[in-house]
Amino acid sequence: MKLNYWEQLSKEARWRLPRKEADNLLSAYQRKDQSSTSTDTELILHFGAPQQLVMQQAHPQKYLVWLLALTFMSLCLLILPVEWFLGSQYFLELPAFPMQLLALGTICSIGWFQCQGTQEPVRQLPHNLLRLLLILTVGITLVWCANAFLFSQAEQLSYWVDMSHGIISGYTIARLLEAVTLLSVFTGLFALIQARLGDRRWRAIYIVSLASSTLSMASLRLWSNMDLSAPLHSFWYLPELIYFLSLCIIGLFGVLISLRFR
């Protein structure tokens, strides 16, 4: 769908400029347009192309800071999945590193968009935000179901593999966890863009995506490294359970802050 002149100008300005400067630029040029019926061609001839207008007002240093913040938040989301799909688990094996990534990404997104973003006047959450939140919640629920099955049935896993004719197996669970991870990564990157261009409450989706991705990666580490031939002591899963709960608590705390502060 082709955007009109003002929509193009809005997206260019909000991407390259701090939000207040972008809103001031938009309102200034809309006041200059005395005829609300001007065509896009007339507006381009009168004011210039949207990208040119924004570039004239842009501050390279401020834009660079935004790109650095975007890169950092994206790396928090991407490091573990990219490493996994490249066949390595170095960072994933470090006990505190995944939780640190989650905490840093959460703090950075809350702080950045609180200072640089704005909340739309309507109090109701955007519909697409709610839909994605529901989808991510389903994904996290599936991860927890897989882990609950492992915690309760680890010693009988080979039995379940035979009974299900391979439908329930480490391979199928790993593919499920990878699918949740990919969904979380793409949703999180999309949410960062939306939080910059629109309502800063989209950062909540980024935080849920980051928590979901981190939880899925930690679960993949557990499923791929378990030695089911070795005897398991009672409550062997408690450290992992506490770790997984901690990831979810950090994510939940970040989401509540993101949606609470206007």
Side-chain angles (χ1 to χ4, degrees), residues 143 185 191:
V143 175
V185 167

Side-chain angles (χ1 to χ4, degrees), residues 52 69 76 124 126 135 141 166 201 209 258:
Q52 293 175 343
C76 290
Q124 187 178 3
I135 292 172
T141 302
R201 290 176 293 181
S209 299
S258 297

Side-chain angles (χ1 to χ4, degrees), residues 145-249:
C145 289
N147 290 331
F149 176 78
L150 181 62
F151 294 158
S152 62
Q153 302 291 330
E155 294 180 341
Q156 290 80 34
L157 188 58
S158 59
Y159 166 79
W160 286 106
V161 172
D162 294 337
M163 283 291 294
S164 64
H165 302 288
I167 296 176
I168 300 176
S169 66
Y171 177 83
T172 55
I173 296 297
R175 302 292 82 75
L176 171 65
L177 296 175
E178 287 175 354
V180 173
T181 300
L182 290 175
L183 171 67
S184 302
V185 167
F186 287 117
T187 304
L189 294 175
F190 173 75
L192 286 176
I193 296 172
Q194 290 297 104
R196 176 69 173 186
L197 297 179
D199 196 318
R200 67 169 167 232
R201 290 176 293 181
W202 275 96
R203 64 190 171 180
I205 295 296
Y206 166 77
I207 294 172
V208 176
S209 299
L210 182 58
S212 174
S213 174
T214 307
L215 177 64
S216 299
M217 287 288 95
S219 302
L220 275 168
R221 172 190 54 78
L222 175 63
W223 276 87
S224 62
N225 294 341
M226 276 202 65
D227 183 8
L228 296 177
S229 63
L232 298 173
H233 60 80
S234 300
F235 303 108
W236 63 269
Y237 54 83
L238 276 182
E240 297 292 344
L241 178 61
I242 293 172
Y243 185 72
F244 293 161
L245 285 173
S246 300
L247 295 177
C248 291
I249 289 171

